[in-house]
């Protein structure tokens, strides 16, 4: 699904906005994540699994970085570099092959 399609503008977007504003302020980030995953699943299929994997790995790395930053700043730096390498490699994997 593309942002400029009729389906997005008149089906997905209104439903999502209703859900977002009906959600209590405390849970709106979760609504955004779910809405993003649904949008991505409609348009990109299996890439949604890659997005979910990335979400879990980045969350775990962020927890490791915040937990080790004060006591072991060098270890936190290694987690950060590992996360950057992982995320940049995803760009390469998900880019369509051009011949």
């Amino acid at each position: 699904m593309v942002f400029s399609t009729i389906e997005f503008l008149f089906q997905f977007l209104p439903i999502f906005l209703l859900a977002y504003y009906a959600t209590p302020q405390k849970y709106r980030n979760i609504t955004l994540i779910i809405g993003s995953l649904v949008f991505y699943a409609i348009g990109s299929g299996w890439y949604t699994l890659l997005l979910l994997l990335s979400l879990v790995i980045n969350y775990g790395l962020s927890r490791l970085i915040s937990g080790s930053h004060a006591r072991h700043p060098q270890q936190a730096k290694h987690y950060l570099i590992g996360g950057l390498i992982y995320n940049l490699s995803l760009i390469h994997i998900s880019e369509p092959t051009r011949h």
Side-chain angles (χ1 to χ4, degrees):
M1 182 182 335
V2 180
F3 292 114
S4 60
T5 61
I6 298 296
E7 293 83 13
F8 175 78
L9 292 173
F10 295 108
Q11 291 177 353
F12 181 81
L13 186 60
I15 292 169
F16 173 74
L17 288 175
L18 283 171
Y20 180 77
Y21 287 111
T23 303
Q25 185 80 25
K26 182 178 180 181
Y27 300 108
R28 285 188 177 169
N29 282 344
I30 294 170
T31 304
L32 284 173
I33 290 171
I34 293 169
S36 297
L37 289 171
V38 169
F39 175 79
Y40 207 71
I42 291 169
S44 298
W46 81 270
Y47 281 123
T48 307
L49 296 175
L50 189 61
L51 182 63
L52 284 170
L53 178 65
S54 178
L55 191 138
V56 169
I57 288 174
N58 282 304
Y59 178 76
L61 284 170
S62 70
R63 299 288 300 207
L64 289 171
I65 290 169
S66 67
S68 64
H69 186 264
R71 295 180 313 258
H72 308 287
Q74 193 64 27
Q75 188 177 21
K77 184 178 178 180
H78 289 133
Y79 290 138
L80 175 64
I81 292 170
L84 288 171
I85 291 169
Y86 169 74
N87 285 293
L88 291 173
S89 68
L90 285 181
I91 294 171
H92 177 69
I93 290 171
S94 62
E95 182 178 300
T97 307
R98 295 185 190 129
H99 295 282

